[in-house]
Amino acid sequence: MEITYSSPSATSLSFSNSSMPTSGRPVKVIPLQHPTTTSSSAAGGFGAGNLVKSWTTKVKRMTWVHWMELLLPCSRWIRTYKWREYLQSDLLSGITIGIMLVPQAMSYAKLAGLRPIYGLYSGFLPLFVYAIFGSSRQLAVGPVALVSLLVSNVLGGIVNSSEELYTELAILLALMVGILECTMGLLRLGWLIRFISHSVISGFTTASAFVIGLSQVKYFLGYDVSRSSKIVPLIESIIAGADGFLWAPFIMGSAILAVLQIMKHLGKTRKHLRFLRVAGPLTAVVMGTTLTKILNLPSISLVGDIPQGLPTFSIPKRFEHVKSLIPTAFLITGVAILESVGIAKALAAKNGYELDSNQELFGLGVANVVGSFFSAYPTTGSFSRSAVNHESGAKTSLSQIVTGIVMGGALLFLTPLFEHIPQCALAAIVISAVITLVDYEEAIFLWRIDKKDFLLWVITAIATLFLGIEIGVLIGVGVSLAFVIHESANPHMAVLGRLPGTTVYRNVQQYPEAYTYNGIVVVRIDAPIYFANTSYIKDRLREYEVEVDQSTGRGPDVERVYFVIIEMAPVTYIDSSAVQALKDLYQEYKLRDIQVAISNPNRDVLLTFSRSGVVELIGKEWFFVRVHDAVQVCLQHVESLNETTKTSDSSPKDKSSFLQSLVKSRSEDLSVSQLESGFQKLPSFNETDPQLEPLLSRKP
């Protein structure tokens, strides 16, 4: 269905009160459907009643299978488990990760300032809980280096690591992190962390890798180094204690680190030697223990006594320190969402199943809550172990259960063997693991692609190194949000022109061949319009009105702008402040004899216009489905105004030429209507005659 506009409607313009001669040419446009306020609000509003109704409908449709999958995500893979195909792979990958996790868990516990046994506890029961409530089938949960550093950083400022309070606060922190993760998962608030840019996380982890590495150097040097999350105090402490340097732990630690790096490199580059990457941590432990037994050097410190047996149930204590632990709990939760959920999503995509981020967050939270009752400190998904788990062929979370059984066996039977592990061997495992966190490749990539993101990466890394972890993250997130606010408050806008031979309008800067029409400015706003960007949009519209490019102009020869067409297809939302700003802009344009036309607003935006009176203010006839429809109608009015001026100035003998041009323009309109309706073949770009364009007058 089409509506035909003709030039007599030009008299409806606010600035046109006098009669004018018209060409009478018909202009066909697609009618825009205006929603009514009552029907729209009843059909699909965003009220609480509709939200409750949708949830009620969804709950009614759920079967017992859906309830099982919601409450126990493990039922999804249990129901479809292929024993002959999956069992061998899950057993192999579970044992592999278990062998890798035993030494890593002890190493990360030392990094957190805890005794190695608490790393083993953290790598035991949380694995079973996550296998039940987690939705990822390849994510390897347990202690990780970055979370261990965060625990050490916050607790080191409260109490000495040798005191029992230190351990109790670490366990309490696991409970707090778990509650936060469960709450965010249940309330589906995982989207909040999307405001933290990947550049911030990359810069933060890179700086943290240097801090972690320097914090472990003391086991290589043989003397104590002050605990700090800032690089300057660490370096000063290392230099100040140089008199206590010991050669034996340095040589042994360096040798073990070199072996770990060689095995990791060979495991990554040679497919038939992939097992070396997994066997690295275990090799470091065996190598260090053997050398200690053979050499029996008193200068090399050992892990010492490790309690044997599984962890017992105990309720976390020291709740009076909750307030001081809240910032770190939020930080650890953020790291868990960004790193663990990101890894889990990538692995889910590679293995062909869907993953619910909020369910994943809930699974991590339950694992931490239950772990805190069995002497575990905060855990999350490990990037390195998850990658190895995937490469080893893990198909389901059964591999996590197998890893938990390996950890339980180590706690029951192998802890006496761990007493003779040298501290420098565990430090070498940590340093080897965090080397992969130095994401210099990301910095190079950002430098090539986006200098703004590179600047964000550098700011976060430097702030973390010199000001500490918490301040570094806050600065990085603050700068990231500042960039987001700046982009939102200064949205992209473009002047549109028509591509020759088509009815398509595109950015004239991107397509130089696109042309505009004299007296008309078509502007596209590429963002939602709300209180923060209304002033910027109004300023840009004024600039476009004044600085319109006349070099590409076609159509009537007029000297100023009569119409401003706003293309609103990209505008997904408009608030009350923007509505008021549009009303003010309309009144301002009206005083300067300029008419506003709106093109292609979406349903919600058009409904807002209807409720606020904007449609009545501007007029329903100035709302269009297509930009081309708006241009045709506006151009007809501009031609009428131009013809009025020419008629008043022309002599009688010029009237015959005017009538001839009118006949020509009508014949052009006929060919145009055939072209737009599809009865006439669209000419190629090279064959297009710009003089045959719709509503384009011939130039002398």
Side-chain angles (χ1 to χ4, degrees):
M1 179 180 178
E2 292 183 338
I3 294 179
T4 301
Y5 286 73
S6 58
S7 55
S9 62
T11 56
S12 63
L13 286 176
S14 60
F15 54 84
S16 180
N17 296 321
S18 60
S19 60
M20 59 183 68
T22 62
S23 61
R25 295 183 298 176
V27 177
K28 294 183 178 181
V29 301
I30 302 172
L32 179 65
Q33 298 296 328
H34 288 266
T36 60
T37 304
T38 55
S39 62
S40 299
S41 59
F46 296 96
N50 291 312
L51 184 62
V52 172
K53 184 178 179 181
S54 64
W55 275 101
T56 304
T57 305
K58 186 181 295 185
V59 169
K60 288 180 179 179
R61 291 177 180 176
M62 291 178 66
T63 62
W64 68 270
V65 175
H66 294 130
W67 281 108
M68 283 291 294
E69 291 181 350
L70 178 65
L71 300 176
L72 297 173
C74 61
S75 62
R76 299 173 187 174
W77 59 265
I78 291 176
R79 289 189 303 106
T80 59
Y81 196 84
K82 300 177 182 179
W83 294 93
R84 293 184 178 180
E85 296 181 24
Y86 295 169
L87 183 59
Q88 184 178 355
S89 299
D90 285 340
L91 289 175
L92 178 61
S93 58
I95 294 172
T96 299
I97 299 301
I99 294 172
M100 190 177 182
L101 179 57
V102 170
Q104 279 192 347
M106 293 188 290
S107 304
Y108 294 149
K110 292 293 294 181
L111 173 61
L114 300 166
R115 287 182 291 165
I117 187 62
Y118 290 100
L120 297 175
Y121 290 161
S122 301
F124 173 56
L125 197 60
L127 275 65
F128 293 98
V129 178
Y130 177 80
I132 297 173
F133 294 98
S135 56
S136 176
R137 303 174 189 178
Q138 285 79 30
L139 188 69
V141 175
V144 297
L146 192 53
V147 171
S148 299
L149 176 64
L150 294 172
V151 171
S152 172
N153 179 60
V154 66
L155 298 186
I158 298 175
V159 65
N160 191 283
S161 60
S162 60
E163 298 182 20
E164 187 64 26
L165 176 60
Y166 189 96
T167 303
E168 292 174 352
L169 292 181
I171 296 171
L172 176 62
L173 191 57
L175 176 63
M176 295 174 61
V177 169
I179 292 174
L180 272 176
E181 290 174 339
C182 287
T183 303
M184 295 186 71
L186 290 172
L187 298 179
R188 309 188 72 82
L189 298 177
W191 59 269
L192 291 173
I193 310 298
R194 297 175 191 170
F195 287 99
I196 303 179
S197 167
H198 178 71
S199 303
V200 172
I201 295 299
S202 178
F204 168 68
T205 54
T206 298
S208 298
F210 283 101
V211 174
I212 292 171
L214 288 176
S215 68
Q216 296 298 293
V217 166
K218 62 182 180 181
Y219 299 113
F220 279 51
L221 302 178
Y223 58 88
D224 193 30
V225 176
S226 63
R227 185 186 301 273
S228 177
S229 63
K230 304 175 185 177
I231 193 170
V232 174
L234 284 171
I235 294 176
E236 290 177 348
S237 180
I238 290 171
I239 296 174
D243 294 339
F245 176 76
L246 298 174
W247 280 102
F250 178 78
I251 294 174
M252 181 181 291
S254 300
I256 294 174
L257 179 60
V259 170
L260 283 171
Q261 289 300 103
I262 293 172
M263 294 179 69
K264 184 187 294 184
H265 176 73
L266 293 176
K268 286 183 177 180
T269 56
R270 311 287 176 85
K271 288 186 177 180
H272 62 284
L273 297 176
R274 187 178 295 173
F275 68 93
L276 292 178
R277 181 183 178 186
V278 179
L282 182 61
T283 302
V285 169
V286 173
M287 181 179 174
T289 305
T290 303
L291 290 175
T292 302
K293 285 284 189 180
I294 294 174
L295 300 176
N296 196 22
L297 297 175
S299 58
I300 297 178
S301 59
L302 305 178
V303 170
D305 181 49
I306 297 180
Q308 189 173 5
L310 301 178
T312 58
F313 178 84
S314 61
I315 299 176
K317 308 173 184 176
R318 306 291 184 170
F319 286 96
E320 65 271 15
H321 294 277
V322 166
K323 187 176 180 180
S324 60
L325 298 178
I326 287 177
T328 304
F330 274 102
L331 186 57
I332 293 175
T333 302
V335 171
I337 297 174
L338 291 165
E339 293 297 326
S340 301
V341 177
I343 299 165
K345 280 188 173 181
L347 294 176
K350 289 183 179 180
N351 288 274
Y353 63 91
E354 295 184 1
L355 183 135
D356 186 347
S357 300
N358 293 292
Q359 179 65 55
E360 186 68 14
L361 193 56
F362 180 76
L364 291 170
V366 176
N368 274 303
V369 169
V370 176
S372 67
F373 289 98
F374 291 89
S375 303
Y377 76 97
T379 59
T380 189
S382 167
F383 179 82
S384 59
R385 293 196 300 273
S386 298
V388 172
N389 198 32
H390 170 69
E391 293 169 1
S392 301
K395 301 298 182 182
T396 67
S397 296
L398 181 62
S399 62
Q400 283 284 284
I401 297 175
V402 174
T403 301
I405 293 173
V406 172
M407 295 296 294
L411 284 167
L412 287 172
F413 308 111
L414 300 180
T415 51
L417 301 178
F418 299 154
E419 297 178 6
H420 302 285
I421 298 175
Q423 302 267 26
C424 60
L426 297 181
I429 293 173
V430 173
I431 294 174
S432 176
V434 299
I435 286 175
T436 58
L437 296 179
V438 181
D439 201 1
Y440 63 90
E441 293 179 352
E442 178 71 10
I444 297 173
F445 173 79
L446 293 176
W447 172 259
R448 293 200 311 264
I449 302 300
D450 192 340
K451 299 296 190 297
K452 181 185 67 177
D453 282 343
F454 173 78
L455 177 63
L456 185 59
W457 188 95
V458 172
I459 290 174
T460 305
I462 292 177
T464 303
L465 282 174
F466 291 96
L467 301 178
I469 293 175
E470 286 86 354
I471 297 178
V473 171
L474 288 175
I475 291 177
V477 172
V479 175
S480 179
L481 290 177
F483 284 157
V484 171
I485 293 172
H486 179 269
E487 292 295 332
S488 178
N490 299 272
H492 179 264
M493 296 176 63
V495 173
L496 304 185
R498 183 178 177 186
L499 297 180
T502 71
T503 58
V504 177
Y505 291 76
R506 291 293 183 265
N507 188 347
V508 294
Q509 293 184 350
Q510 185 177 0
Y511 297 92
E513 68 272 17
Y515 56 83
T516 59
Y517 289 104
N518 297 329
I520 302 171
V521 178
V522 184
V523 181
R524 188 185 67 215
I525 304 173
D526 296 326
I529 308 176
Y530 67 112
F531 65 92
N533 59 18
T534 52
S535 297
Y536 175 83
I537 291 173
K538 288 173 65 177
D539 292 341
R540 293 299 301 272
L541 287 173
R542 295 189 187 100
E543 292 176 7
Y544 291 143
E545 176 194 343
V546 176
E547 300 175 4
V548 61
D549 186 8
Q550 298 290 345
S551 62
T552 61
R554 304 285 182 94
D557 186 13
V558 294
E559 297 181 353
R560 73 176 186 88
V561 172
Y562 288 98
F563 294 92
V564 174
I565 302 172
I566 304 177
E567 161 68 314
M568 302 194 76
V571 179
T572 57
Y573 169 75
I574 185 168
D575 71 351
S576 59
S577 299
V579 168
Q580 187 59 45
L582 185 59
K583 289 182 177 180
D584 295 341
L585 185 67
Y586 172 80
Q587 298 296 341
E588 182 181 330
Y589 277 148
K590 186 177 180 180
L591 294 175
R592 298 202 299 274
D593 293 340
I594 297 175
Q595 176 66 45
V596 175
I598 305 296
S599 168
N600 197 19
N602 71 31
R603 182 177 179 278
D604 294 329
V605 172
L606 191 55
L607 182 59
T608 302
F609 284 159
S610 298
R611 290 172 174 171
S612 60
V614 173
V615 174
E616 288 74 13
L617 179 67
I618 297 177
K620 285 187 176 182
E621 67 275 12
W622 295 110
F623 284 78
F624 301 90
V625 174
R626 300 183 302 171
V627 172
H628 183 62
D629 293 346
V631 170
Q632 287 186 98
V633 174
C634 294
L635 187 58
Q636 188 181 58
H637 288 293
V638 175
E639 284 184 330
S640 299
L641 291 171
N642 192 42
E643 289 170 5
T644 302
T645 305
K646 288 183 178 180
T647 302
S648 61
D649 296 337
S650 62
S651 60
K653 62 181 178 181
D654 292 331
K655 292 183 180 179
S656 59
S657 61
F658 170 75
L659 293 175
Q660 292 176 0
S661 64
L662 184 60
V663 172
K664 290 181 181 179
S665 64
R666 286 183 176 178
S667 63
E668 292 168 10
D669 287 339
L670 179 61
S671 63
V672 169
S673 63
Q674 293 175 347
L675 174 65
E676 295 180 353
S677 62
F679 293 109
Q680 182 174 329
K681 184 179 179 182
L682 182 68
S684 63
F685 181 78
N686 294 330
E687 297 174 354
T688 301
D689 184 359
Q691 293 184 347
L692 297 180
E693 295 291 326
L695 296 181
L696 180 63
S697 302
R698 291 180 181 273
K699 291 187 177 182

